[in-house]
Amino acid sequence: MIRAARVLPLLLLPLLLVSCGTEEAGAGADTGAAGADAGTGGTDKGTGSPADPAELAARARALGIAPEHVYVTGAPGFAVAQQSVGVFGGDGFHTAYFSQKTHAQFELFVDRGTLTAENCPKTQVGQGSGEAVTCERDGDGWYRKAGGRHEYAVPRDGHVIRLVGDANGPARAVLRAAAEAAHHPDAAELTALLPPAPEGAATEPVERGDLPPVGDGAPDNEVGASG
């Protein structure tokens, strides 16, 4: 089940971009995405030095995002709208890309799960409201449409990367190329994409002392349970 996103409403992005002096992150800004006739599968495509894993983990977890869900992409003429970067659902990732020239925009979602021939028609497009979904297998991913929205969705190890836009906005080829170009950020992209973690932020999940080692995992409220 696709969960609701705790992100900035996309319709506000053009107004914020204007009022904030077109504040954009360097990640994905006017970079050449792979050709539209290539497959949507592949590995990370960052061209700079790899981001430090501990730094990525600290920055992501400070926002409630699982580090493995942080991706950037590139599409000619599009750049990240920094105001859109945030958590999606439980620990997923969301950001939006905006074109100053055409005012077109698309969103990037990453969340846990997978897409198969069986569940693809049952999984909503973007944050859709129940319209019938059509699915077309395309390389390692799926091209999907519902109502006035369309997307490319690419399953990876335990999560799905989705590039979503209005059907009358970014063309199918743009979404496909952005899906192919999606990769974990390199050091420069991470600096532009996510704010620094607060001092002393944890990079690993915090273990709670009030959870019993057996049973259904309900907190133990006995005196002294938390040490």
Side-chain angles (χ1 to χ4, degrees):
M1 177 181 296
I2 300 297
R3 294 163 287 183
R6 301 199 302 273
V7 298
L8 185 74
L10 185 58
L11 293 176
L12 296 180
L13 288 177
L15 294 177
L16 284 172
L17 286 167
V18 172
S19 63
C20 296
T22 315
E23 183 182 2
E24 296 172 346
D30 296 326
T31 57
D37 57 347
T40 55
T43 57
D44 293 353
K45 298 175 178 63
T47 57
S49 59
D52 177 70
E55 179 68 13
L56 171 58
R59 292 188 181 211
R61 289 197 170 110
L63 298 176
I65 302 166
E68 64 270 22
H69 294 161
V70 179
Y71 279 81
V72 295
T73 189
F78 287 83
V80 170
Q82 282 185 310
Q83 301 91 344
S84 70
V85 176
V87 65
F88 172 67
D91 60 359
F93 178 71
H94 168 274
T95 191
Y97 287 75
F98 182 75
S99 169
Q100 285 282 12
K101 182 177 180 180
T102 66
H103 293 174
Q105 52 199 11
F106 64 85
E107 296 174 273
L108 183 153
F109 294 94
V110 185
D111 201 13
R112 298 185 186 278
T114 190
L115 273 182
T116 64
E118 181 180 1
N119 71 10
C120 186
K122 304 173 185 177
T123 304
Q124 65 185 16
V125 171
Q127 298 184 74
S129 56
E131 298 96 336
V133 177
T134 62
C135 298
E136 176 187 334
R137 188 72 180 181
D138 191 348
D140 292 333
W142 297 87
Y143 176 64
R144 310 172 65 238
K145 295 181 67 176
R149 303 280 280 170
H150 65 161
E151 75 171 27
Y152 263 90
V154 183
R156 293 277 172 92
D157 293 334
H159 55 270
V160 181
I161 305 165
R162 299 186 294 135
L163 287 301
V164 188
D166 289 337
N168 60 355
R172 172 175 176 170
V174 171
L175 297 183
R176 192 181 197 279
E180 184 190 37
H183 61 276
H184 292 299
D186 62 29
E189 290 169 331
L190 177 61
T191 298
L193 186 70
L194 299 181
E199 192 72 23
T203 59
E204 297 295 335
V206 176
E207 293 187 8
R208 292 178 55 177
D210 61 343
L211 296 180
V214 295
D216 61 3
D220 183 352
N221 293 320
E222 294 292 331
V223 175
S226 61

